[in-house]
Amino acid sequence: MKELHLTVHNATGLHARPAKVFVNTAKQFKADIRVQHGGKRANGKSLISVLTLGVERGQQIAIFIEGEDEDEAAAALTAIVAAGLGEGAAEPAVAVATAASTPTPAAAPTATPANVLHGVPAAPGVAIGPLFRLRNVSEVPAHLIGAVAGTDAEETHRLQTAIAQAREQLTVLRRQLVQRGAAAEAAIFDVHLEILEDDDLLSAVGDRIRRGESAAQAWQSVITERAQAVAALDDPLLAGRAADLHDVGYRVLRLLVGAGEGGLRLPDHPVILVAQDLTPSETANLDPTRVLGFCTAAGGPTAHAAIIARALSLPAVVSMGAGVLDLADGTLAVLDGQNGVLVVAPDAVTVAQAQQRRERWLAARLASEQAAAEPAITTDGVRIEVVANIGGVAEAERAVQAGAEGVGLLRTEFLFLDRNDPPDEEEQFRVYRDIVQAMGGRPVIVRTLDIGGDKPLPYIRVPAEANPFLGERGIRLCLARPDLLRQQVRAILRASAYGPLRIMFPMVADWNEWQRARQMVLEVARELGVPPVPLGIMVEVPAAALLADVFAREVDFFSVGTNDLTQYTLAVDRQHPSLAGMSDGLHPSVLRLIAHTVEAAHAAGKWVGVCGELAADPQAIPILVGLGADELSVGVPAIPTVKAQVRTFSRAEAEQRARQALRCATAAEVRALLPAA
Ligand code: PEP
Ligand code: MG
């Protein structure tokens, strides 16, 4: 038996996604794996069981491993925990975006009239309409739950059928969200699918069935018990995952008692929904022609329901307190998702003002969407390419609809994540080909595999590192495993026959890395008998920015990855939970590195794109354009608004603003140069 004592150092501890990475790694081994923390013990192969340990960042866990492959299991678990359990920038980025786009409520509650309720802003926009309280949407009538049990075999069969149907529904729901352009949000349902396969949970239900309970009774008891245990945890982020358990739990329960999908029963006119909380499925299923927006008594701005609301452009306010549940159905209200306010029974003046703000909000959205296909040209005639950051074929299709002029960053990691073996050349080729075809002749920049650091893969073992962000990641990792890179380059070059592809390498810090990577592309092109494609590097490490004049002699283009460039320039971990405020890409030091890169590139006749989150920040856009960025590469939903903003200023004004920014001492001073959008 092996015993490990590890510290969990990723940002959010063992919450849903990191716990899933842990459990998936554990499941690859035959050995029995138990995890112990704070006097509780969990089955290391059960997501729920691991979640209920409530492990937070910085806490220790003990792992007991017993079985023929215990050594391999111990090495893999040590590596995955050390590498941060797959916690990428996605969650902190969402939290930061929320904070930026949804200011905290103004005005102290004592100064507000009694009909004005405050909550936490969750999704911007204004809605005006009658309230409608959602009652007991998830409840299954007690008389159905209490039905007499059949034989063990019958009840087990019923349970298995309901789980299979639930899996089918979730897969469809997930696909629909991806088609609506909410790929990241769709991943929430992966956790639900995982819960449906949870060994520990299923065996607890099986035990109850064997003791004579009906499948519905057994399922309800076990889900309620586990959800209570998760909800009781100290950590609010973990406790929020109880909603996931309830959500998937009730989905199966409704199927078990024949209540079907149990969609929300809503009035036939548009309403503002009021609920205790909304589950992710409920939010994803909301019909925007019937629901103007929603407010909840519980929930938080980073909860899945809020994330989905933002993706669907539904104004939302959460965490309003139980008082909101007492409001009578049909009462007219104004919901302000931007400021986190609900005005109940507003007077005529308030309604008229809200109406104007709603119209402005809708008009701005519509105008930017309608003009999305038009180029982004500054008022003095400088065209800025606005392209998309994507992770897959469906997103490429959405990007074209949203007006993307190409793909500035294809994060190829998506193909390698959540699986047990790397995709082979053929699979990669098909995906790259489909993406370039979906883009219909627009250029696609494929970034070679960027893993390690915050993005570990279970099947690529990297020895535990004290500082994974300063360790084997990005191009370093690929050059240390040339077969992996060569296979990817072959697939990309084969796909380049179907449309304009370019390749860029992540995390380049040294001239030799560029040389070796470039050499490999040239060799593979010769082998395949195809012409090489344009090659560029990401500028994510200060070394690359400082040596931009040297790199500019050979690279065809640069793309500034401000997420990592900010992290390495300011020495602030991009996932750090309490240093998020310091990690601002508008820091003058980062801007000086970008300015240096652009000058060096332009002097050599090369172009520069920006593909980090900063490129979609309304306060940063004029400064980046003023510094000379030729291309902005942003998430798909941001494309129309980024284009619209570029059309509102001149390059000359932007250059002046950029010059002022470069002289500032702090990021706050830079931000003060431009009003918040
Ligand atoms: C970046 O670092 O800015 C970037 C775009 O790469 P990623 O976020 O994938 O690390
Ligand atoms: Mg990066």
Side-chain angles (χ1 to χ4, degrees):
M1 172 147 106
K2 299 227 54 125
E3 182 174 334
L4 304 171
H5 292 269
L6 304 175
T7 303
V8 174
H9 64 76
N10 55 296
T12 51
L14 274 179
H15 89 109
R17 273 173 265 185
K20 183 169 162 241
V21 171
F22 184 96
V23 167
N24 283 350
T25 308
K27 279 185 184 165
Q28 289 170 34
F29 301 94
K30 293 202 188 78
D32 180 62
I33 299 176
R34 304 275 140 187
V35 187
Q36 190 169 310
H37 171 74
K40 288 188 268 182
R41 221 170 219 242
N43 175 353
K45 297 181 181 178
S46 156
L47 180 67
I48 320 279
S49 180
V50 169
L51 275 178
T52 47
L53 291 175
V55 180
E56 293 173 29
R57 179 190 171 93
Q59 292 186 325
Q60 276 236 335
I61 51 174
I63 308 179
F64 303 91
I65 311 173
E66 193 163 10
E68 57 185 85
D69 51 1
E70 60 191 28
D71 288 333
E72 292 83 353
L77 289 171
T78 307
I80 204 85
V81 171
L85 292 164
E87 271 225 309
E91 293 221 338
V94 166
V96 170
T98 309
S101 61
T102 53
T104 44
T110 47
T112 33
N115 68 332
V116 179
L117 306 181
H118 287 274
V120 175
V126 177
I128 307 160
L131 296 172
F132 178 77
R133 158 115 189 258
L134 225 44
R135 285 181 180 78
N136 306 325
V137 284
S138 301
E139 274 176 15
V140 173
H143 69 276
L144 289 174
I145 295 291
V148 181
T151 64
D152 282 10
E154 281 163 4
E155 293 301 313
T156 306
H157 178 70
R158 292 180 62 199
L159 180 69
Q160 283 165 347
T161 311
I163 288 178
Q165 287 170 330
R167 194 177 298 126
E168 177 81 32
Q169 290 175 357
L170 286 167
T171 311
V172 171
L173 207 50
R174 194 185 181 292
R175 196 168 48 237
Q176 285 168 347
L177 269 184
V178 170
Q179 282 161 358
R180 287 155 95 168
E185 292 71 25
I188 292 162
F189 293 108
D190 287 344
V191 174
H192 289 200
L193 287 161
E194 185 76 24
I195 291 172
L196 290 181
E197 284 172 10
D198 195 282
D199 284 349
D200 204 48
L201 187 127
L202 295 178
S203 81
V205 179
D207 286 349
R208 281 177 171 268
I209 291 178
R210 276 186 293 282
R211 290 205 299 269
E213 290 188 13
S214 71
Q217 257 174 334
W219 179 260
Q220 190 188 42
S221 309
V222 172
I223 289 285
T224 309
E225 204 176 276
R226 302 292 151 105
Q228 274 166 356
V230 175
L233 297 169
D234 274 350
D235 179 346
L237 200 57
L238 273 172
R241 297 294 81 83
D244 290 323
L245 263 167
H246 273 301
D247 194 358
V248 74
Y250 280 112
R251 178 179 293 283
V252 173
L253 198 52
R254 285 194 299 258
L255 289 163
L256 275 171
V257 299
E261 169 71 8
L264 305 178
R265 247 175 257 121
L266 295 178
D268 50 14
H269 55 269
V271 292
I272 295 175
L273 279 188
V274 180
Q276 166 63 26
D277 202 355
L278 283 173
T279 64
S281 308
E282 285 161 355
T283 313
N285 277 326
L286 292 179
D287 173 357
T289 62
R290 297 270 204 76
V291 178
L292 297 161
F294 67 81
C295 48
T296 59
T302 58
H304 295 149
I307 296 171
I308 293 174
R310 286 194 289 276
L312 302 181
S313 294
L314 273 181
V317 180
V318 298
S319 200
M320 301 205 74
V324 76
L325 301 175
D326 298 333
L327 300 170
D329 279 358
T331 312
L332 184 70
V334 170
L335 179 75
D336 178 345
Q338 180 75 19
N339 295 302
V341 171
L342 182 75
V343 185
V344 184
D347 57 29
V349 177
T350 309
V351 172
Q353 286 169 345
Q355 191 61 40
Q356 280 174 4
R357 278 188 298 132
R358 178 171 170 82
E359 275 158 21
R360 276 202 301 276
W361 171 61
L362 290 174
R365 235 182 55 197
L366 190 70
S368 58
E369 278 165 17
Q370 278 172 346
E374 305 298 319
I377 301 177
T378 60
T379 54
D380 52 353
V382 180
R383 178 165 182 173
I384 304 296
E385 300 282 330
V386 180
V387 293
N389 292 346
I390 65 165
V393 185
E395 262 188 313
E397 286 158 4
R398 289 277 309 148
V400 171
Q401 284 163 21
E405 294 164 310
V407 169
L409 169 62
L410 168 60
R411 287 185 164 101
T412 56
E413 300 80 74
F414 80 96
L415 249 173
F416 292 72
L417 297 174
D418 281 334
R419 50 195 295 162
N420 296 325
D421 313 288
D424 63 13
E425 180 185 321
E426 199 52 35
E427 182 179 346
Q428 290 190 58
F429 158 71
R430 282 197 299 269
V431 174
Y432 305 146
R433 179 200 59 196
D434 291 352
I435 288 174
V436 79
Q437 285 183 330
M439 292 308 294
R442 297 167 187 83
V444 175
I445 301 182
V446 185
R447 175 173 77 183
T448 58
L449 192 55
D450 182 17
I451 48 166
D454 57 328
K455 304 171 194 156
L457 289 181
Y459 48 85
I460 296 181
R461 304 266 157 87
V462 176
E465 295 174 307
N467 292 302
F469 275 122
L470 303 180
E472 236 192 288
R473 62 166 298 199
I475 194 68
R476 283 176 204 164
L477 185 140
C478 282
L479 289 171
R481 291 164 177 74
D483 292 347
L484 194 67
L485 183 60
R486 182 173 291 273
Q487 191 182 50
Q488 185 174 34
V489 169
R490 279 183 65 90
I492 301 171
L493 288 179
R494 282 176 56 202
S496 71
Y498 295 83
L501 278 180
R502 298 164 181 166
I503 297 179
M504 76 178 168
F505 305 110
M507 298 294 302
V508 173
D510 186 83
W511 177 251
N512 288 323
E513 290 168 342
W514 154 250
Q515 285 298 312
R516 288 175 60 199
R518 172 173 175 258
Q519 217 41 54
M520 184 181 291
V521 176
L522 298 180
E523 268 167 38
V524 172
R526 268 198 301 277
E527 252 167 54
L528 292 172
V530 300
V533 296
L535 299 180
I537 61 166
M538 288 195 71
V539 176
E540 301 179 277
V541 181
L546 293 167
L547 283 182
D549 51 330
V550 176
F551 284 110
R553 292 182 205 143
E554 289 195 356
V555 302
D556 294 304
F557 63 92
F558 294 92
S559 185
V560 184
T562 51
N563 307 336
D564 276 313
L565 187 61
T566 307
Q567 147 165 281
Y568 292 119
T569 305
L570 297 174
V572 177
D573 182 339
R574 65 192 259 184
Q575 309 184 87
H576 200 290
S578 59
L579 294 180
M582 279 185 72
S583 172
D584 190 337
L586 277 183
H587 195 280
S589 58
V590 180
L591 297 180
R592 287 183 188 206
L593 289 172
I594 300 176
H596 181 76
T597 305
V598 175
E599 272 165 35
H602 286 179
K606 309 293 166 68
W607 61 268
V608 181
V610 180
C611 66
E613 295 302 314
L614 199 65
D617 178 337
Q619 282 184 289
I621 289 168
I623 292 178
L624 294 172
V625 170
L627 289 175
D630 303 287
E631 177 216 61
L632 299 174
S633 193
V634 300
V636 173
I639 290 168
T641 47
V642 170
K643 282 183 145 184
Q645 196 187 344
V646 169
R647 299 186 194 112
T648 63
F649 57 82
S650 71
R651 165 97 133 225
E653 285 159 10
E655 280 173 352
Q656 199 204 349
R657 198 74 77 185
R659 279 194 294 275
Q660 288 172 318
L662 290 173
R663 288 196 296 270
C664 286
T666 63
E669 275 182 31
V670 176
R671 289 202 176 270
L673 294 174
L674 270 177

